[in-house]
Amino acid sequence: QVYKGLDIITNKVSPQEQRLCRHHMISFVDPLVSNYTVVDFRDKAVPLISFYIFARDKIPIVVGGTNYYIESLLWKVLINTKEKASTAPRPASDRKGELEQLDGAELHRRLSQVDPEMAAKLHPHDRRKVARSLQVFEETGIPHSEILHQQQEEEGGGPLGGPLKYPHSCILWLHADQAALDARLEQRVDAMVAAGLLEELRDFHRRYNREKVAENRQDYQHGIFQSIGFKEFHEYLVSEGNCSPETSALLLEKGIQALKQVTKRYARRQNKWVRNRFLKRPGPNVPPVYGLEVSDLQRWEEDVLKPALEIVESFIQGREPPAEPLRMEQDQEENKRSRRVCELCDRLIIGDREWA
């Protein structure tokens, strides 16, 4: 009954869930594709929503994961340079990879020359974002910051970007007490190992990674190899069979503990993203966010399922939900782009909160 009439867009799903309703965008990208971007994701998901799901009078449910990808579906926020660069002798996405190979200071210097406003917002060490801004300028001829301003100034635009693509949206945020969440994530890693994670990693390493390691071409910054769960077991995989069983066991345990640590860190970043992007920057183009407490799984039906169904049903029927959306106080004086240098550790710090 929960799934009846819904279409799910997600990359995290069990076989049991797939049998209950139609799921989209699962296992559709080759593992060795390293230049698949959020733009590619948006360009595949938006037509699915508009011309397949809505056209059948169904309701799309987008499931996270990665909140940046969800933002690409909610707002007009991305800049697609591929069409403009289609006549170039190489794919557009390759240019960003080339730029990322340059020294961070040199990248930032180049950006400062063509787009000083964007350079002032980005940390010189953030090579990915600096390279992306340079790529946008090279392939459009327009500074990245200017394009972002144009999006925000469109009717319905705001701090998060351009107008909402789907005005009648709502966000259900499942959150838990930090201690409960940490314990659950550790249990999840143990369950993944018990379910065959190591066999999957060995197989993938043998088929796709061993040759790259031998030639010193391993890249943990792009494609599937940047995913949580690969690089944490690198030492274990490359040394398995070439060291003592005791050493191998130690490396395995080191990998498991590292996986638990980065998983918990990623969950914290996800929650921080929701607070900073959705709750602390309200405006006409931010959908309401409804918090659902999942600390006690024994209370799933009362605390999560029942209120979630009531909220969604209210939106379908065009009435106010019984629950109040979450709101957080904003510091109107906070400057997210202030730049200070800590002389003690010789580091550039961007943003009042980070400095504090």
Side-chain angles (χ1 to χ4, degrees), residues 90-162:
R90 59 177 176 267
S93 52
D94 288 351
R95 180 54 182 157
K96 180 169 177 282
E98 290 175 7
L99 289 168
E100 286 181 27
Q101 302 306 312
L102 298 176
D103 175 71
E106 169 62 16
L107 267 180
H108 199 263
R109 185 189 66 79
R110 291 189 187 186
L111 184 62
S112 299
Q113 292 176 338
V114 298
D115 191 351
E117 181 181 343
M118 207 66 195
K121 293 179 179 180
L122 298 177
H123 198 289
H125 293 170
D126 196 344
R127 283 195 295 178
R128 280 194 172 191
K129 289 184 180 179
V130 175
R132 172 58 178 163
S133 288
L134 267 176
Q135 181 198 13
V136 168
F137 176 77
E138 288 183 2
E139 293 169 0
T140 66
I142 305 171
H144 193 181
S145 58
E146 185 176 328
I147 297 176
L148 295 178
H149 283 312
Q150 291 172 1
Q151 287 182 345
Q152 293 168 359
E153 290 168 2
E154 288 184 33
E155 185 177 356
L160 289 176

Side-chain angles (χ1 to χ4, degrees), residues 68 71-72 75-79 148 151 160-162 165 277:
Y68 180 47
E71 281 196 17
S72 76
W75 290 279
K76 181 181 176 182
V77 290
L78 298 179
I79 299 163
L148 295 178
Q151 287 182 345
L160 289 176
K165 291 195 183 82
R277 302 283 292 181

Side-chain angles (χ1 to χ4, degrees), residues 274-291:
V274 173
R275 293 188 186 98
N276 289 341
R277 302 283 292 181
F278 297 156
L279 298 180
K280 288 190 176 180
R281 299 171 72 176
N285 69 335
V286 180
V289 179
Y290 296 93

Side-chain angles (χ1 to χ4, degrees), residues 302-336:
E302 307 98 289
D303 293 347
V304 183
L305 180 57
K306 186 172 181 290
L309 290 175
E310 289 176 347
I311 291 166
V312 173
E313 191 172 301
S314 298
F315 268 81
I316 293 171
Q317 296 175 355
R319 55 184 174 82
E320 284 295 314
E324 283 288 322
L326 295 174
R327 291 182 175 84
M328 292 187 73
E329 289 296 322
Q330 292 177 270
D331 183 357
Q332 301 293 341
E333 302 301 318
E334 180 186 350
N335 183 354
K336 298 180 186 295

